[in-house]
């Protein structure tokens, strides 16, 4: 008797119909996962040897390669995510921009933190020549996100920043878009070969079991993850079982409180009420920075804001949710929310009858100070909770009870400068947004996309220049001969900023400016 | 019937005699630990409000206060550690230097990573004004080390860097030197008051249970620890049980391999053999950077080096070990080592008969490639293992089998530039030392005192300027009014380096130089 070992598969689902898409992709077997990781580890020296210039050219080549296949990518991603061609097209633009941005970060070079202390006498005795640089940590595991099939998935910010750092990447494709993941992986692999880099620099694996194998493998040196709190907890536990702990850069859950001051409500209730709902319902509310907890003053101005929001919610175009799990959670959890004592439903767009994973947007209110704890859960989808507060003290108490977030937003009246409130918001978030909306996370030098637990579990960011820091480690050379130092640490002129004996020196070829 | 609740106590022991010292210090009860932490949390805003200048003055004041009590501190520390007055005096110098160094780091200001992206149009759409700064993370738990009663204990580098960051500190005093810890804590508390800072900025707790309560308290935001791998594992597990994970900056174990090339052995066998033993036996080998694994070529030159080392070991002055636990471990573990198949004892200083925690220094050899795994354990105390290798391949195999370390050292012959070997050493250590010895860790800008697990569990350092980074987190302000920004992020001239729209700007008042 023989048994036939039929591999399990990962298939996408059309969110508009709920029907399974073909072809399915095979789950990656544990032995294959290990081979992919070990191949990535083996080529790590080659990636490092490309140097900053070589890796910058590589990243720009990958950006070009993705943009050249924009139409194919949008088509397959839309079939698997239903996010729509405009949003997916702009996500490809963002993804290419990120890759090119990290090429700029490499060109500029201060991410290396090159530091030279020349030999000297000190109060503690003679100091040797010490030279410090950040070096690649080695192969990195990246978990694709359901809600960004490009920008936070196979070719996303984690991959871009890890490659920039000089660390190979093995991506665990998200089950919501296996076809998109496979296609974009093939484009990247071809791009690597065109740039003269080993194709093994980026690997891809499919299936939940492959993800656990991935984070458990001793050659993996860090994990980048964007997903649910429960998924993140499970990976943290798998990491905890390793012989050697490794950093877990997780982005897990975020309420993103948005506070409207009494003066702001008095000045522009209508405008804020409409705009905040666009932020809540964009991409069907499936954004990690969706403002899910709105703090609005009690009274007539606040009432007007709530009415404007309720009206906007009814008219908001809402695409179907990404997958069955998110759909079921949203339907179940928002039903619990709306039925909770102390919670009042103020608007609901009734789309439950439609096919696939369509849902209705939902807006509820509760009155401070004694709000039910259910308002502090994240509802991934087009739902928001409005808390009505009467006093600053009530507002502060609600903020203190809420979990920490990626962002906190404050709308103020003209001339209003509530320093104490801003300090309180800064304690529970990684980014404070003034008189705006937290969705839309610019890729730039000063961006921070992180926050205290459970927003993320670290002090690092997954968006912006400093995301590269996650995939580097410091190394110091003591009394090294010039020839054995990395070029960035040698004597003489270099093309990057360096700290020498405590003072920053700018490169002659750069654009040194004194403010 | 009544029960009298007699508090448990922590008493030091005189390592020279093994006798318990008086007075003992009471273990801190859980409720008191919580009060101390909450008091530290309550004054965190005051510490932050001192600003860089205020905290720099505070650190300099604390340095002065400690030096003013040098004689008292050396006396009590010597009674509890037997490290001797010269070593303890220089440790006080180092401790004061560290406090002043972090004041310099504050003055210079680039540790804040102040970054400004002005509003702009980008390929991904309009970018808001974004300004990023590192802010204090909040109260920090610091665990004192047995082997540095000052520099890695109550007033040590963790405390100095956390205070510089603006984060209050609660220290768990090490049981080897409770009297020293209490005295230096009182000096610091007085120094805080003199500087106009709240005395609650630094707290102290005693006892193992207090340490667990400390890392479990929700207000503690990070843990700095120097100690054993098992102690570190236990704290990591306690942290794993928290609702919110926090970073654990542990320094746990380190072999510090030291490689002597064939050419180096040919050139200076005698010199290296003598000097390496001074590094092995200094402070009775109780240093985290002690070179415990020496890789020496087989053959006549290597034999000469081993003979010189054996001779030096017999003459090395060795002070008693720090405490009963270290003493018992050393006696037991080195006996196992010396008796292991394949291990040959080449020198032993017989001092076991002396009183207290005196031990004999030990030197053993084993032949590559098939060395017993016992040579890869850390022997905390004046012991070292010499591995004799015949080929570069054997050398590389031993290095690959050894756990990662804080340091790796390489002695080469003149003109020798073994790039591949240096790369291999850089993979398993945080600092590569050329033609020197790893003990003696300078406090400076380019220093890195960390390494891959189990040397430390993070990419951070406990020595040097960047140690401050452990106790800071990024925060970004989006479209903030000038008045609500930290002074370092406002428009116009400031006294620190900043990145503006991607380019580094140096302060007018500083010493901008173009290399």
């Amino acid at each position: 008797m023989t048994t036939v070992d039929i591999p399990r598969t990962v298939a996408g689902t059309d969110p508009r119909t709920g029907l399974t898409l073909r072809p399915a992709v095979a789950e990656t077997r544990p032995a294959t996962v290990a081979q992919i990781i070990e191949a990535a580890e083996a080529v790590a020296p080659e990636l490092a040897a490309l140097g900053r210039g070589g890796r910058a050219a590589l990243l720009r080549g990958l950006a070009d390669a993705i943009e050249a296949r924009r139409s194919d990518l949008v088509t397959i991603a839309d079939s698997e995510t239903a996010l729509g061609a405009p949003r997916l097209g702009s996500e490809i633009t963002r993804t290419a921009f990120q890759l090119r941005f990290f090429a700029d970060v490499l060109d500029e070079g201060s991410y290396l933190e090159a530091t030279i202390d020349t030999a000297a006498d000190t109060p503690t005795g003679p100091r040797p020549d010490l030279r410090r640089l950040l070096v690649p940590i080695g192969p990195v595991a990246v978990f694709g996100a359901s809600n960004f099939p490009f920008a936070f998935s196979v070719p996303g910010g984690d991959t871009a920043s890890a490659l920039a750092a000089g660390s190979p990447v093995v991506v665990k494709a998200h089950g919501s878009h296996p076809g998109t993941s496979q296609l974009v992986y093939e484009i990247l692999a071809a791009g690597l070969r065109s740039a003269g880099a080993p194709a093994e620099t980026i690997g891809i694996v499919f299936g939940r079991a492959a993800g656990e194998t991935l984070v458990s493998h001793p050659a993996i040196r860090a994990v980048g993850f964007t997903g649910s709190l429960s998924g993140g907890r499970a990976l943290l536990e798998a990491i905890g079982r390793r012989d050697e702990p490794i950093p877990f850069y997780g982005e897990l859950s975020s309420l993103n409180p948005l506070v409207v001051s009494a003066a702001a409500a008095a000045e522009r209730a209508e405008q804020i009420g409409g705009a905040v709902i666009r932020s809540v319902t964009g991409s069907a509310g499936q954004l990690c920075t969706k403002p899910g907890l709105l703090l609005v003053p009690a009274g007539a101005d606040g009432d007007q804001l709530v009415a404007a929001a309720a009206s906007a919610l009814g008219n908001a175009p809402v695409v179907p949710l990404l997958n069955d799990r998110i759909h079921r959670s949203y339907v179940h959890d928002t039903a619990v929310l709306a039925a909770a004592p102390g919670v009042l439903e103020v608007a609901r767009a009734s789309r439950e009858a439609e096919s696939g994973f369509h849902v209705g947007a939902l807006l509820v209110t509760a009155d401070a100070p004694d709000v039910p704890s259910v308002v502090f859960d994240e509802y991934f989808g087009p739902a928001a909770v409005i808390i009505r507060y009467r006093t600053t003290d009530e507002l502060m108490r609600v903020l203190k009870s809420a979990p920490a977030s990626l962002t906190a937003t404050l709308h103020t009246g003209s001339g209003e400068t509530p320093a104490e409130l801003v300090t309180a918001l800064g304690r529970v978030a990684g980014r404070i947004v003034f008189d705006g909306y937290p969705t839309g996370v610019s890729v730039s030098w000063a961006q921070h996309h992180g926050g205290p637990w459970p927003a993320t579990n670290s002090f690092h960011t997954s968006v912006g220049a400093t995301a590269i820091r996650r995939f580097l480690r410091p190394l110091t050379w003591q009394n090294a001969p010039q020839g054995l130092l990395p070029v960035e640490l040698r004597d003489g002129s270099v093309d990057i900023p360096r700290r020498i004996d405590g003072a920053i020196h700018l490169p002659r070829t750069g654009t040194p400016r004194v403010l």
Side-chain angles (χ1 to χ4, degrees), chain A:
Chain A
M1 200 177 104
T2 60
T3 56
V4 180
D5 183 12
I6 300 170
R8 299 178 58 177
T9 58
V10 183
T13 308
D14 180 349
R16 295 182 177 95
T17 62
L19 298 176
T20 301
L21 295 164
R22 294 291 165 202
V25 180
E27 286 194 2
T28 315
R29 295 160 195 264
T32 310
V33 175
Q35 281 167 8
I36 291 168
I37 295 166
E38 284 150 27
E41 186 183 29
V43 301
E46 281 184 70
L47 182 64
L50 285 179
R52 291 184 298 119
R55 292 201 302 280
L58 168 62
L59 292 171
R60 292 185 176 112
L62 297 180
D64 293 345
I66 288 169
E67 288 192 322
R69 296 291 296 279
R70 176 188 294 271
S71 163
D72 297 338
L73 287 168
V74 166
T75 300
I76 191 167
D78 192 46
S79 74
E80 292 186 316
T81 68
L83 287 169
R87 151 68 205 272
L88 290 165
S90 69
E91 192 182 328
I92 287 179
T93 301
R94 177 189 182 88
T95 304
F97 181 78
Q98 281 182 156
L99 288 159
R100 296 189 181 108
F101 178 69
F102 280 107
D104 295 345
V105 169
L106 287 173
D107 287 344
E108 196 269 346
S110 61
Y111 81 94
L112 288 169
E113 299 183 7
T115 307
I116 297 174
D117 294 331
T118 57
D121 281 323
T122 77
T124 60
R127 180 183 75 195
D129 181 285
L130 293 167
R131 302 184 185 222
R132 175 183 183 271
L133 199 75
L134 301 186
V135 301
I137 49 167
V140 166
V142 169
F143 282 71
S146 62
N147 58 341
F148 280 91
F150 304 115
F152 286 84
S153 288
V154 181
D158 284 349
T159 297
S161 54
L163 293 181
S167 295
V169 172
V170 179
V171 187
K172 189 268 179 183
H174 197 280
S176 281
H177 40 70
T180 309
S181 298
Q182 178 64 29
L183 176 58
V184 78
Y185 164 72
E186 288 164 11
I187 294 169
L188 294 177
L192 286 164
R193 284 189 294 265
S194 299
E200 297 85 351
T201 301
I202 304 176
I204 190 167
V205 301
F206 293 87
R208 174 177 289 263
E212 293 218 359
T213 305
L214 184 56
V215 302
S216 305
H217 195 285
I220 291 293
R221 308 312 307 160
V223 178
F225 172 81
T226 307
S228 68
L229 187 53
S230 60
R233 281 267 190 208
L235 285 180
L236 261 178
E237 277 162 27
I239 290 169
R241 290 189 293 269
R242 291 173 59 104
D243 284 343
E244 306 190 5
I246 52 174
F248 171 73
Y249 303 118
E251 187 185 311
L252 305 165
S253 174
S254 191
L255 280 189
N256 304 300
L258 181 147
V259 176
V260 181
S261 78
E267 286 177 17
R268 48 186 201 283
E270 287 282 339
Q271 182 200 323
I272 296 171
V276 78
I277 292 303
R278 283 193 291 280
S279 188
V280 167
T281 58
S283 298
Q286 300 168 115
L287 297 175
C288 38
T289 55
K290 178 198 79 174
L293 188 71
L294 318 176
L295 293 117
V296 172
D301 297 327
D303 291 347
Q304 194 190 345
L305 193 157
V306 173
S311 159
L313 191 93
N315 299 324
V318 170
V319 299
L321 296 181
L322 287 156
N323 60 40
D324 184 50
R325 190 189 62 73
I326 292 173
H327 178 253
R328 276 187 287 116
S329 293
Y330 181 84
V331 171
H332 174 269
D333 297 351
T334 55
V336 171
L337 170 68
V343 172
L344 182 68
E345 183 177 317
V346 292
R348 179 191 287 267
S350 294
R351 301 185 189 198
E352 270 88 352
E354 291 191 31
S355 60
F357 306 143
H358 284 90
V359 293
L362 177 69
L363 191 63
V364 301
T365 63
D367 290 334
D370 298 314
V371 295
S373 65
V374 72
V375 304
F376 296 134
D377 289 338
E378 186 189 33
Y379 298 92
F380 197 70
V385 174
I386 297 179
I387 308 281
R388 306 294 300 271
Y389 68 89
R390 288 166 298 181
T391 61
T392 304
D393 182 57
E394 283 188 358
L395 171 60
M396 290 292 203
R397 281 169 65 183
V398 172
L399 287 174
K400 205 157 182 181
S401 303
S405 287
L406 294 166
T407 71
T409 299
L410 175 60
H411 284 260
T412 54
S414 34
E416 210 181 0
T417 55
E420 203 181 329
L421 179 55
V422 172
T423 302
L425 293 175
R427 265 193 223 116
V428 296
R431 175 166 53 108
I432 316 176
V433 179
F434 293 83
D435 297 322
Y437 301 91
T439 47
V441 184
S442 295
V443 176
S444 75
W445 295 89
Q447 187 58 274
H448 180 61
H449 189 61
W453 181 272
T456 66
N457 81 320
S458 76
F459 305 134
H460 293 80
T461 182
S462 65
V463 180
T466 57
I468 196 173
R469 182 66 182 82
R470 299 173 298 165
F471 305 123
L472 296 159
R473 68 181 178 92
L475 184 59
T476 287
W477 287 254
Q478 177 171 323
N479 285 343
Q482 287 288 312
L484 290 174
L485 284 167
V487 288
E488 289 91 350
L489 287 182
R490 293 183 189 163
D491 289 345
S493 178
V494 294
D495 62 349
I496 62 167
R498 301 197 293 193
R499 183 185 301 282
I500 301 176
D501 291 333
I504 294 176
H505 293 237
L506 298 175
R508 200 189 294 281
T509 53
T511 50
R513 279 178 283 177
V514 175
L515 193 69

